[in-house]
mmCIF file of all heavy atoms in Angstrom:
data_model
loop_
_atom_site.group_PDB
_atom_site.id
_atom_site.type_symbol
_atom_site.label_atom_id
_atom_site.label_comp_id
_atom_site.label_asym_id
_atom_site.label_seq_id
_atom_site.Cartn_x
_atom_site.Cartn_y
_atom_site.Cartn_z
ATOM 1 N N MET A 137 -207.794 -13.583 -183.492
ATOM 2 C CA MET A 137 -208.592 -14.191 -184.538
ATOM 3 C C MET A 137 -209.196 -15.482 -183.992
ATOM 4 O O MET A 137 -208.548 -16.200 -183.236
ATOM 5 C CB MET A 137 -207.734 -14.529 -185.756
ATOM 6 C CG MET A 137 -207.141 -13.349 -186.491
ATOM 7 S SD MET A 137 -208.340 -12.212 -187.175
ATOM 8 C CE MET A 137 -209.203 -13.201 -188.339
ATOM 9 N N VAL A 138 -210.407 -15.736 -184.421
ATOM 10 C CA VAL A 138 -211.102 -16.966 -184.058
ATOM 11 C C VAL A 138 -211.482 -17.660 -185.358
ATOM 12 O O VAL A 138 -211.990 -17.021 -186.283
ATOM 13 C CB VAL A 138 -212.371 -16.678 -183.231
ATOM 14 C CG1 VAL A 138 -213.079 -17.966 -182.862
ATOM 15 C CG2 VAL A 138 -212.033 -15.869 -181.981
ATOM 16 N N VAL A 139 -211.231 -18.954 -185.435
ATOM 17 C CA VAL A 139 -211.599 -19.735 -186.607
ATOM 18 C C VAL A 139 -212.510 -20.865 -186.167
ATOM 19 O O VAL A 139 -212.187 -21.611 -185.236
ATOM 20 C CB VAL A 139 -210.356 -20.304 -187.325
ATOM 21 C CG1 VAL A 139 -210.764 -21.160 -188.511
ATOM 22 C CG2 VAL A 139 -209.436 -19.180 -187.767
ATOM 23 N N ARG A 166 -204.209 -31.556 -186.538
ATOM 24 C CA ARG A 166 -204.135 -31.155 -185.124
ATOM 25 C C ARG A 166 -202.758 -31.433 -184.541
ATOM 26 O O ARG A 166 -202.221 -30.624 -183.789
ATOM 27 C CB ARG A 166 -205.219 -31.849 -184.314
ATOM 28 C CG ARG A 166 -206.605 -31.316 -184.705
ATOM 29 C CD ARG A 166 -207.658 -31.614 -183.718
ATOM 30 N NE ARG A 166 -207.401 -30.884 -182.485
ATOM 31 C CZ ARG A 166 -207.799 -31.319 -181.298
ATOM 32 N NH1 ARG A 166 -208.449 -32.440 -181.174
ATOM 33 N NH2 ARG A 166 -207.551 -30.610 -180.214
ATOM 34 N N MET A 169 -200.244 -28.853 -185.338
ATOM 35 C CA MET A 169 -200.458 -27.559 -184.698
ATOM 36 C C MET A 169 -199.688 -27.423 -183.383
ATOM 37 O O MET A 169 -199.818 -26.418 -182.695
ATOM 38 C CB MET A 169 -201.950 -27.323 -184.463
ATOM 39 C CG MET A 169 -202.738 -27.221 -185.751
ATOM 40 S SD MET A 169 -204.518 -27.103 -185.483
ATOM 41 C CE MET A 169 -204.700 -25.318 -185.428
ATOM 42 N N VAL A 172 -197.190 -24.057 -182.660
ATOM 43 C CA VAL A 172 -197.285 -23.126 -183.791
ATOM 44 C C VAL A 172 -197.257 -21.696 -183.251
ATOM 45 O O VAL A 172 -198.046 -21.349 -182.364
ATOM 46 C CB VAL A 172 -198.583 -23.361 -184.593
ATOM 47 C CG1 VAL A 172 -198.802 -22.276 -185.626
ATOM 48 C CG2 VAL A 172 -198.564 -24.725 -185.252
ATOM 49 N N GLY A 174 -198.161 -18.101 -182.520
ATOM 50 C CA GLY A 174 -199.398 -17.343 -182.640
ATOM 51 C C GLY A 174 -200.661 -18.125 -182.349
ATOM 52 O O GLY A 174 -201.734 -17.545 -182.222
ATOM 53 N N LEU A 175 -200.582 -19.447 -182.241
ATOM 54 C CA LEU A 175 -201.763 -20.256 -181.926
ATOM 55 C C LEU A 175 -201.966 -20.263 -180.425
ATOM 56 O O LEU A 175 -201.080 -20.649 -179.666
ATOM 57 C CB LEU A 175 -201.586 -21.686 -182.432
ATOM 58 C CG LEU A 175 -202.719 -22.655 -182.092
ATOM 59 C CD1 LEU A 175 -204.027 -22.233 -182.760
ATOM 60 C CD2 LEU A 175 -202.334 -24.070 -182.502
ATOM 61 N N ARG A 176 -203.131 -19.814 -179.993
ATOM 62 C CA ARG A 176 -203.425 -19.777 -178.559
ATOM 63 C C ARG A 176 -204.090 -21.058 -178.078
ATOM 64 O O ARG A 176 -203.825 -21.537 -176.995
ATOM 65 C CB ARG A 176 -204.334 -18.598 -178.247
ATOM 66 C CG ARG A 176 -203.620 -17.270 -178.381
ATOM 67 C CD ARG A 176 -204.585 -16.123 -178.205
ATOM 68 N NE ARG A 176 -203.825 -14.902 -178.110
ATOM 69 C CZ ARG A 176 -203.904 -14.080 -177.090
ATOM 70 N NH1 ARG A 176 -204.702 -14.324 -176.093
ATOM 71 N NH2 ARG A 176 -203.177 -12.985 -177.086
ATOM 72 N N SER A 177 -205.001 -21.608 -178.888
ATOM 73 C CA SER A 177 -205.754 -22.781 -178.454
ATOM 74 C C SER A 177 -206.438 -23.402 -179.666
ATOM 75 O O SER A 177 -206.823 -22.699 -180.594
ATOM 76 C CB SER A 177 -206.800 -22.329 -177.426
ATOM 77 O OG SER A 177 -207.569 -23.407 -176.982
ATOM 78 N N GLN A 178 -206.586 -24.736 -179.649
ATOM 79 C CA GLN A 178 -207.321 -25.410 -180.719
ATOM 80 C C GLN A 178 -208.044 -26.626 -180.156
ATOM 81 O O GLN A 178 -207.509 -27.324 -179.300
ATOM 82 C CB GLN A 178 -206.384 -25.782 -181.877
ATOM 83 C CG GLN A 178 -205.134 -26.535 -181.493
ATOM 84 C CD GLN A 178 -205.203 -28.049 -181.725
ATOM 85 O OE1 GLN A 178 -206.187 -28.574 -182.192
ATOM 86 N NE2 GLN A 178 -204.132 -28.737 -181.372
ATOM 87 N N GLN A 179 -209.270 -26.821 -180.623
ATOM 88 C CA GLN A 179 -210.110 -27.912 -180.134
ATOM 89 C C GLN A 179 -210.920 -28.510 -181.289
ATOM 90 O O GLN A 179 -211.226 -27.826 -182.261
ATOM 91 C CB GLN A 179 -211.131 -27.427 -179.093
ATOM 92 C CG GLN A 179 -210.565 -26.968 -177.792
ATOM 93 C CD GLN A 179 -210.003 -25.571 -177.841
ATOM 94 O OE1 GLN A 179 -210.457 -24.731 -178.592
ATOM 95 N NE2 GLN A 179 -208.987 -25.322 -177.042
ATOM 96 N N THR A 180 -211.308 -29.772 -181.105
ATOM 97 C CA THR A 180 -212.290 -30.431 -181.966
ATOM 98 C C THR A 180 -213.372 -30.950 -181.034
ATOM 99 O O THR A 180 -213.072 -31.459 -179.958
ATOM 100 C CB THR A 180 -211.654 -31.603 -182.739
ATOM 101 O OG1 THR A 180 -210.612 -31.089 -183.558
ATOM 102 C CG2 THR A 180 -212.676 -32.300 -183.615
ATOM 103 N N PHE A 181 -214.622 -30.813 -181.457
ATOM 104 C CA PHE A 181 -215.748 -31.215 -180.614
ATOM 105 C C PHE A 181 -216.566 -32.312 -181.288
ATOM 106 O O PHE A 181 -216.769 -32.271 -182.497
ATOM 107 C CB PHE A 181 -216.678 -30.023 -180.355
ATOM 108 C CG PHE A 181 -216.010 -28.893 -179.638
ATOM 109 C CD1 PHE A 181 -215.477 -27.839 -180.348
ATOM 110 C CD2 PHE A 181 -215.897 -28.895 -178.263
ATOM 111 C CE1 PHE A 181 -214.853 -26.786 -179.700
ATOM 112 C CE2 PHE A 181 -215.270 -27.854 -177.599
ATOM 113 C CZ PHE A 181 -214.741 -26.801 -178.319
ATOM 114 N N THR A 193 -214.451 -27.585 -185.359
ATOM 115 C CA THR A 193 -213.168 -27.279 -184.749
ATOM 116 C C THR A 193 -213.157 -25.793 -184.431
ATOM 117 O O THR A 193 -213.851 -24.997 -185.081
ATOM 118 C CB THR A 193 -211.964 -27.607 -185.659
ATOM 119 O OG1 THR A 193 -212.000 -26.758 -186.801
ATOM 120 C CG2 THR A 193 -211.978 -29.055 -186.091
ATOM 121 N N LEU A 194 -212.392 -25.426 -183.447
ATOM 122 C CA LEU A 194 -212.308 -24.040 -183.011
ATOM 123 C C LEU A 194 -210.857 -23.741 -182.669
ATOM 124 O O LEU A 194 -210.199 -24.532 -181.988
ATOM 125 C CB LEU A 194 -213.188 -23.833 -181.773
ATOM 126 C CG LEU A 194 -213.270 -22.446 -181.179
ATOM 127 C CD1 LEU A 194 -213.989 -21.489 -182.120
ATOM 128 C CD2 LEU A 194 -213.992 -22.501 -179.833
ATOM 129 N N SER A 195 -210.345 -22.631 -183.185
ATOM 130 C CA SER A 195 -208.990 -22.226 -182.820
ATOM 131 C C SER A 195 -208.946 -20.725 -182.582
ATOM 132 O O SER A 195 -209.703 -19.964 -183.178
ATOM 133 C CB SER A 195 -207.963 -22.644 -183.892
ATOM 134 O OG SER A 195 -208.264 -22.087 -185.140
ATOM 135 N N PHE A 196 -208.060 -20.334 -181.670
ATOM 136 C CA PHE A 196 -207.827 -18.932 -181.345
ATOM 137 C C PHE A 196 -206.391 -18.605 -181.719
ATOM 138 O O PHE A 196 -205.474 -19.353 -181.391
ATOM 139 C CB PHE A 196 -208.029 -18.676 -179.840
ATOM 140 C CG PHE A 196 -209.429 -18.901 -179.360
ATOM 141 C CD1 PHE A 196 -209.780 -20.085 -178.738
ATOM 142 C CD2 PHE A 196 -210.390 -17.918 -179.518
ATOM 143 C CE1 PHE A 196 -211.075 -20.289 -178.280
ATOM 144 C CE2 PHE A 196 -211.691 -18.117 -179.072
ATOM 145 C CZ PHE A 196 -212.035 -19.306 -178.451
ATOM 146 N N TRP A 197 -206.194 -17.460 -182.385
ATOM 147 C CA TRP A 197 -204.879 -17.037 -182.870
ATOM 148 C C TRP A 197 -204.578 -15.640 -182.371
ATOM 149 O O TRP A 197 -205.486 -14.826 -182.189
ATOM 150 C CB TRP A 197 -204.870 -17.039 -184.397
ATOM 151 C CG TRP A 197 -205.093 -18.402 -184.972
ATOM 152 C CD1 TRP A 197 -206.306 -19.022 -185.170
ATOM 153 C CD2 TRP A 197 -204.106 -19.327 -185.382
ATOM 154 N NE1 TRP A 197 -206.106 -20.269 -185.678
ATOM 155 C CE2 TRP A 197 -204.768 -20.488 -185.824
ATOM 156 C CE3 TRP A 197 -202.715 -19.283 -185.418
ATOM 157 C CZ2 TRP A 197 -204.081 -21.589 -186.310
ATOM 158 C CZ3 TRP A 197 -202.033 -20.389 -185.906
ATOM 159 C CH2 TRP A 197 -202.717 -21.527 -186.342
ATOM 160 N N ASP A 198 -203.289 -15.324 -182.209
ATOM 161 C CA ASP A 198 -202.888 -13.984 -181.788
ATOM 162 C C ASP A 198 -203.325 -12.926 -182.794
ATOM 163 O O ASP A 198 -203.722 -11.832 -182.413
ATOM 164 C CB ASP A 198 -201.373 -13.893 -181.616
ATOM 165 C CG ASP A 198 -200.884 -14.562 -180.343
ATOM 166 O OD1 ASP A 198 -201.706 -14.851 -179.456
ATOM 167 O OD2 ASP A 198 -199.667 -14.791 -180.255
ATOM 168 N N THR A 242 -211.804 -16.770 -169.775
ATOM 169 C CA THR A 242 -210.657 -17.456 -170.348
ATOM 170 C C THR A 242 -211.105 -18.715 -171.088
ATOM 171 O O THR A 242 -212.209 -19.221 -170.876
ATOM 172 C CB THR A 242 -209.645 -17.861 -169.257
ATOM 173 O OG1 THR A 242 -210.279 -18.757 -168.352
ATOM 174 C CG2 THR A 242 -209.114 -16.647 -168.521
ATOM 175 N N TRP A 243 -210.221 -19.207 -171.932
ATOM 176 C CA TRP A 243 -210.414 -20.471 -172.643
ATOM 177 C C TRP A 243 -209.095 -21.212 -172.512
ATOM 178 O O TRP A 243 -208.057 -20.689 -172.897
ATOM 179 C CB TRP A 243 -210.747 -20.187 -174.109
ATOM 180 C CG TRP A 243 -211.116 -21.409 -174.893
ATOM 181 C CD1 TRP A 243 -210.253 -22.304 -175.452
ATOM 182 C CD2 TRP A 243 -212.421 -21.869 -175.203
ATOM 183 N NE1 TRP A 243 -210.943 -23.286 -176.101
ATOM 184 C CE2 TRP A 243 -212.281 -23.044 -175.965
ATOM 185 C CE3 TRP A 243 -213.698 -21.406 -174.911
ATOM 186 C CZ2 TRP A 243 -213.377 -23.756 -176.438
ATOM 187 C CZ3 TRP A 243 -214.773 -22.122 -175.388
ATOM 188 C CH2 TRP A 243 -214.616 -23.278 -176.145
ATOM 189 N N SER A 244 -209.129 -22.380 -171.954
ATOM 190 C CA SER A 244 -207.907 -23.154 -171.691
ATOM 191 C C SER A 244 -206.894 -22.343 -170.890
ATOM 192 O O SER A 244 -205.689 -22.386 -171.155
ATOM 193 C CB SER A 244 -207.282 -23.642 -173.003
ATOM 194 O OG SER A 244 -208.148 -24.549 -173.641
ATOM 195 N N GLY A 245 -207.394 -21.538 -169.943
ATOM 196 C CA GLY A 245 -206.517 -20.806 -169.043
ATOM 197 C C GLY A 245 -205.982 -19.486 -169.564
ATOM 198 O O GLY A 245 -205.193 -18.836 -168.885
ATOM 199 N N ARG A 246 -206.376 -19.070 -170.778
ATOM 200 C CA ARG A 246 -205.890 -17.806 -171.347
ATOM 201 C C ARG A 246 -207.070 -16.984 -171.832
ATOM 202 O O ARG A 246 -208.078 -17.532 -172.252
ATOM 203 C CB ARG A 246 -204.985 -18.074 -172.553
ATOM 204 C CG ARG A 246 -203.660 -18.689 -172.184
ATOM 205 C CD ARG A 246 -202.771 -18.849 -173.385
ATOM 206 N NE ARG A 246 -202.320 -17.546 -173.860
ATOM 207 C CZ ARG A 246 -201.646 -17.378 -174.984
ATOM 208 N NH1 ARG A 246 -201.365 -18.397 -175.746
ATOM 209 N NH2 ARG A 246 -201.256 -16.175 -175.354
ATOM 210 N N ALA A 247 -206.909 -15.676 -171.805
ATOM 211 C CA ALA A 247 -207.913 -14.797 -172.406
ATOM 212 C C ALA A 247 -207.750 -14.920 -173.923
ATOM 213 O O ALA A 247 -206.714 -14.531 -174.461
ATOM 214 C CB ALA A 247 -207.710 -13.362 -171.960
ATOM 215 N N PRO A 248 -208.712 -15.499 -174.633
ATOM 216 C CA PRO A 248 -208.517 -15.798 -176.045
ATOM 217 C C PRO A 248 -208.405 -14.585 -176.958
ATOM 218 O O PRO A 248 -207.834 -14.683 -178.030
ATOM 219 C CB PRO A 248 -209.723 -16.646 -176.415
ATOM 220 C CG PRO A 248 -210.731 -16.369 -175.374
ATOM 221 C CD PRO A 248 -209.991 -15.959 -174.139
#
Side-chain angles (χ1 to χ4, degrees):
M137 295 299 297
V138 180
V139 178
R166 291 198 67 208
M169 295 174 92
V172 171
L175 177 64
R176 289 174 170 237
S177 179
Q178 51 100 1
Q179 292 79 30
T180 299
F181 299 95
T193 65
L194 182 68
S195 59
F196 296 99
W197 297 83
D198 284 345
T242 61
W243 187 278
S244 295
R246 290 184 70 188

